Amino acid sequence: MLPAVSDPSTARRGVSPAAAALLLIVIAVTAALLAYTWIASLVGAGPETPPLHLQELLKIEALEQKNSKLRITVKNIGVLEAEVQRVYLIDERGLAAASYAVDPPLRLRPGKEKTLEVEARVAAGTFTLKIVTTRGIEASYRLRVQGGQRPPAPIAGTLVVAVEPPQGGVTDPPSGTYSYPLGAAVVVAARPSPGYRFVAWLLNGSRYSSEETTTVQVTGYITLTATFQAAPLFQVANKTLTASGPPSSQAEIAILVRNEGAAWGGFSVEVYDQNQQLAGSTQGSAQPGETATVKLQVLLPGAPGAYLWEVKVLNLLTGAYDDCRGMTVVAYSETGQPSFQIAEYNPQVYGTSSESTTLSFTLVNTGGAPGHAELQLYNHNNQLLTWQQVALQPGETITVPLQAQLPPSPGTYTWAAKVYNLDTGSYDDEKTITVTVLSELIRNGDFSKGSAYWNLENPWYVDTSLQLARAHTRTNEDFSASISQTFEAPGAVTLTQLQLYYYMYASPPGQVDMLQLRIAIENSTTTLWSDSISWSQSTNPASRTYTAPLSLQLSPGTYRLRITAIVDVKRGGLSELDVRVDNVSLLAAPP
């Protein structure tokens, strides 16, 4: 019997033990990787980044209405720094009854609150107050406005004011975006910077007006651009201007003219005599920064004497006079005795009690011979205070300084300057001088008596070693703190000058958003005058003597001088802030 033979196509094959083991290992590794990936995704997945409206959150903490003013206290309860850019009052119809731009935007760090103030220029009624950030996040508050100033009307027009080029000048209102009722008439004004001239207003790119002050109607979204052009600006560069010679003779005058502007241009020099009659003129031109010399012949007066003429520089491009200077003209005799005149002097002298001051006089010899003169200064009691002797040739001029001490009591006094001719034994000339002794209204302005008479808010203190008021600290927060002093106006007075020394330093300077000193003169209810001194990173530290000319009339009463340091810092704060004030002076003159 033959053995059975298997069919290869139907025979069953087994898996070898080695292959089976390898297959099980691959399956196990794959399962482990899948399990690890799934578990890692569960463990590593954090919460999703919240949307913007949950990161930047504002809350209106308080709202106060006083007359037509709304004081809004806003708190940042989010996690991002926010900037409030605009405030709206929405009426019950859902229309914007008023819109206010917050310029610059009110910056709020997380957890911080600040107050802003707007004017509720709407009729009485119920409104929704809405504040909007630069990212478009809103916060709202329902309120009742008590008595407004105009009926609610939607703000439908926008006026954009621009300047081209930016350094060419300034506008009123300043460059920026403004909202007005549709159809409102807005007055705008342009003022060129030195070295530029106003060209025209452009309305939406088209020429609108060549007048510096004009009126535009807000018909929708409009752009009004003040355009300026670089122009020359001419100044007389001579330190002194004089001309002399015999009466009715010709004299040559050399005049230096410097172009302080930003463009080449031509000018005309005009000389006017003591009667404001044109005595001569000539023309020239100069590049920016260049000084040109022009010469012209003039006819001197027919009688011996000293005369005050004027030199004017006419800008041929702008058609305006850029400069005007006085010139001493001397017509002197060719024969006879010397004769002396006071050609120039200051008829008004101001100072404080017992202050030492220097008075300057220009003497000329208008006679026909060399001579000697004595310039004498007399006070209000006709007492000789000081004198000085000089020698002059015919036609010669000389500047004579005389030093004297002002009276000890505030008031107005009449002094006299006399020229005594030592050759003839007679007085040739006499001039009257009005001397005003000003009252110093601030006590202990140099802080030599510590904090006496001053009220200092923290962190201000008196540094006794430096003898000045100082705010020297490190800070992570914005603050506003002042030093102040009350003063009395014993009668009707006019404030003439405020002066102080200041020093401002911040480290690191990049952490400062704003640092300034605000100076104000106040009565019990009102700020009568104010000004600000601003710090910048480019001048750190900043220090100098600040002087403000004043013309502020006060009635008898009590007033206050307030000097406030205002600091706005970025997150992280300042490691050092140093603000100093010294030598505070406030002068007043009788009316």
Side-chain angles (χ1 to χ4, degrees):
M1 184 174 197
L2 294 174
V5 179
S6 300
D7 185 352
S9 62
T10 61
R12 297 178 60 189
R13 296 182 180 179
V15 178
S16 69
L22 181 61
L23 181 60
L24 289 174
I25 291 172
V26 171
I27 293 172
V29 170
T30 302
L33 288 174
L34 290 173
Y36 174 80
T37 302
W38 177 68
I39 294 171
S41 67
L42 291 177
V43 174
E48 294 183 3
T49 301
L52 178 61
H53 71 274
L54 295 180
Q55 299 180 62
E56 183 177 81
L57 284 173
L58 297 181
K59 180 183 178 183
I60 299 177
E61 289 278 79
L63 191 64
E64 177 187 1
Q65 181 183 0
K66 186 175 182 181
N67 298 327
S68 62
K69 300 287 187 181
L70 287 178
R71 289 178 56 85
I72 310 164
T73 302
V74 185
K75 185 174 183 179
N76 185 350
I77 59 174
V79 297
L80 294 180
E81 186 175 273
E83 291 185 345
V84 177
Q85 185 180 41
R86 206 156 191 88
V87 178
Y88 295 93
L89 281 176
I90 310 298
D91 65 16
E92 294 181 299
R93 299 170 296 172
L95 300 176
S99 172
Y100 313 96
V102 183
D103 187 19
L106 182 70
R107 179 176 295 175
L108 285 168
R109 294 196 297 272
K112 193 164 186 178
E113 68 177 39
K114 289 185 179 180
T115 300
L116 60 90
E117 186 175 276
V118 298
E119 187 171 351
R121 298 174 298 169
V122 293
T126 302
F127 298 87
T128 298
L129 174 74
K130 182 182 292 186
I131 60 174
V132 183
T133 71
T134 54
R135 296 188 181 97
I137 300 301
E138 302 176 357
S140 59
Y141 193 99
R142 192 76 168 164
L143 77 152
R144 174 78 182 173
V145 175
Q146 304 293 335
Q149 296 181 348
R150 62 176 175 83
I155 302 296
T158 299
L159 170 63
V160 178
V161 180
V163 173
E164 182 61 38
Q167 71 274 17
V170 295
T171 59
D172 183 17
S175 300
T177 302
Y178 303 90
S179 295
Y180 293 96
L182 197 63
V186 181
V187 177
V188 293
R191 186 174 72 251
S193 301
Y196 287 82
R197 70 182 185 94
F198 175 74
V199 178
W201 287 101
L202 302 182
L203 179 59
N204 295 334
S206 300
R207 190 181 185 93
Y208 177 72
S209 174
S210 58
E211 299 294 327
E212 291 188 0
T213 300
T214 189
T215 302
V216 65
Q217 188 175 30
V218 182
T219 56
Y221 189 97
I222 63 173
T223 299
L224 197 62
T225 304
T227 59
F228 299 91
Q229 183 183 64
L233 179 67
F234 300 107
Q235 302 289 316
V236 175
N238 301 66
K239 290 185 178 180
T240 58
L241 289 168
T242 59
S244 63
S248 301
S249 66
Q250 292 283 335
E252 183 179 78
I253 306 172
I255 300 172
L256 305 178
V257 179
R258 182 173 177 81
N259 185 353
E260 302 284 355
W264 172 91
F267 60 86
S268 174
V269 174
E270 301 171 356
V271 178
Y272 292 85
D273 66 15
Q274 70 277 9
N275 298 316
Q276 288 299 304
Q277 299 295 316
L278 183 64
S281 65
T282 188
Q283 293 187 355
S285 63
Q287 296 286 346
E290 181 185 0
T291 299
T293 302
V294 295
K295 298 179 180 180
L296 68 160
Q297 297 285 329
V298 296
L299 181 67
L300 299 183
Y307 303 88
L308 185 61
W309 287 16
E310 282 187 340
V311 175
K312 298 182 179 181
V313 183
L314 177 66
N315 190 319
L316 297 179
L317 177 64
T318 64
Y321 286 101
D322 286 348
D323 200 6
C324 179
R325 300 289 182 90
M327 180 175 69
T328 300
V329 174
V330 181
Y332 58 86
S333 300
E334 295 185 276
T335 60
Q337 299 286 341
S339 180
F340 304 101
Q341 279 187 250
I342 300 175
E344 294 183 46
Y345 74 107
N346 189 351
Q348 301 281 343
V349 175
Y350 295 89
T352 56
S353 300
S354 302
E355 178 185 352
S356 180
T357 187
T358 299
L359 292 79
S360 183
F361 302 86
T362 299
L363 292 186
V364 298
N365 182 356
T366 61
H372 296 78
E374 184 176 88
L375 179 62
Q376 303 171 351
L377 183 64
Y378 290 84
N379 69 6
H380 51 286
N381 294 320
N382 202 32
Q383 295 174 328
L384 181 62
L385 299 176
T386 185
W387 68 92
Q388 185 172 332
Q389 294 184 359
V390 294
L392 291 94
Q393 296 292 325
E396 184 183 0
T397 64
I398 189 172
T399 299
V400 182
L402 293 180
Q403 193 169 34
Q405 190 175 51
L406 299 184
S409 301
T412 302
Y413 304 86
T414 300
W415 287 8
K418 302 179 182 181
V419 183
Y420 183 71
N421 190 323
L422 296 173
D423 295 283
T424 63
S426 61
Y427 284 97
D428 287 349
D429 198 8
E430 179 177 341
K431 302 295 183 184
T432 298
I433 302 168
T434 300
V435 176
T436 302
V437 178
L438 305 171
S439 301
E440 175 58 73
L441 300 181
I442 296 300
R443 296 168 291 178
N444 190 29
D446 60 358
F447 300 94
S448 59
K449 299 178 182 178
S451 60
Y453 307 109
W454 289 96
N455 178 43
L456 295 92
E457 297 177 349
N458 186 49
W460 284 100
Y461 67 98
V462 173
D463 188 321
T464 54
S465 62
L466 297 176
Q467 289 194 353
L468 47 75
R470 191 176 189 183
H472 191 201
T473 184
R474 60 185 304 166
T475 180
N476 293 318
E477 298 291 334
D478 302 345
F479 73 81
S480 174
S482 68
I483 61 173
S484 62
Q485 182 179 140
T486 58
F487 63 90
E488 297 291 331
V493 298
T494 300
L495 301 184
T496 60
Q497 177 182 282
L498 185 146
Q499 190 173 79
L500 59 85
Y501 165 81
Y502 71 86
Y503 173 96
M504 289 187 279
Y505 172 78
S507 178
Q511 287 295 103
V512 176
D513 278 335
M514 181 184 69
L515 171 57
Q516 66 175 212
L517 284 174
R518 183 177 184 271
I519 309 164
I521 297 171
E522 309 165 345
N523 61 17
S524 58
T525 59
T526 308
T527 298
L528 305 176
W529 174 90
S530 67
D531 195 15
S532 296
I533 305 170
S534 295
W535 168 95
S536 67
Q537 292 188 36
S538 60
T539 55
N540 186 44
S543 65
R544 71 178 180 92
T545 297
Y546 164 86
T547 302
L550 302 175
S551 182
L552 181 62
Q553 295 182 353
L554 299 183
S555 302
T558 302
Y559 300 86
R560 180 177 294 273
L561 172 66
R562 186 182 302 276
I563 304 168
T564 306
I566 304 173
V567 185
D568 194 352
V569 299
K570 297 179 180 178
R571 181 182 297 180
L574 293 171
S575 60
E576 183 180 10
L577 174 69
D578 194 358
V579 182
R580 309 175 190 179
V581 170
D582 197 8
N583 298 327
V584 183
S585 172
L586 183 61
L587 301 179

